[in-house]
């Protein structure tokens, strides 16, 4: 595979990642990324025609439970912990963004 990782690519990735790389680090990053792409190309050579597609390596099952109320409606108990209360609702200091 022709080496598509050049100085311009490394510079662009550095900008996206907000990294300041020295010249030595840029050269090492080019080598590392080139090796990664070579490895991906090597994986592409594998015959996967007999492999069944999957979305996860391990079997996945739904772990959600039914949404069942177990503690009932204890508004008065809950509002005892509120910093303030008005018309059955919490009153808290206003926050600014």
């Amino acid at each position: 595979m022709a080496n598509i990782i050049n100085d311009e690519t490394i510079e662009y990735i550095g900008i996206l990642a907000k990294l300041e790389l020295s010249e030595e680090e840029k050269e090492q990053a080019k080598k590392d990324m080139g090796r990664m792409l070579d490895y991906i190309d090597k994986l592409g050579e594998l015959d996967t025609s007999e492999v069944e597609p999957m979305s996860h390596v391990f079997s996945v099952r739904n772990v959600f439970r039914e949404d069942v109320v177990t503690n009932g409606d204890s508004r008065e108990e809950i509002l005892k912990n509120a910093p303030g209360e008005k018309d059955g609702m919490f009153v808290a200091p206003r926050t600014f963004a």
Side-chain angles (χ1 to χ4, degrees), residues 75 78-92:
R75 181 181 299 208
I78 295 170
L79 286 172
K80 286 181 186 177
N81 295 314
E85 180 263 330
K86 180 178 179 184
D87 299 327
M89 294 179 275
F90 278 83
V91 175

Side-chain angles (χ1 to χ4, degrees), residues 25-66:
E25 290 170 325
K26 288 178 185 178
E27 286 303 314
Q28 187 61 46
K30 275 199 302 193
K31 290 177 188 173
D32 291 344
M33 287 182 196
R35 280 194 296 254
M36 285 186 260
L37 292 175
D38 290 342
Y39 184 71
I40 291 169
D41 283 346
K42 190 73 168 167
L43 289 175
E45 295 173 10
L46 294 173
D47 178 18
T48 58
S49 60
E50 300 292 320
V51 178
E52 191 174 320
M54 61 182 164
S55 61
H56 295 281
V57 176
F58 302 107
S59 62
V60 177
R61 62 183 177 81
N62 188 350
V63 294
F64 296 115
R65 62 170 172 72
E66 287 293 318

Side-chain angles (χ1 to χ4, degrees), residues 7 9-15 17-30 33:
D7 293 333
T9 303
I10 293 297
E11 196 68 37
Y12 182 65
I13 291 170
I15 291 169
K18 298 185 189 255
L19 296 174
E20 291 183 27
L21 301 172
S22 67
E23 290 304 315
E24 295 84 23
E25 290 170 325
K26 288 178 185 178
E27 286 303 314
Q28 187 61 46
K30 275 199 302 193
M33 287 182 196

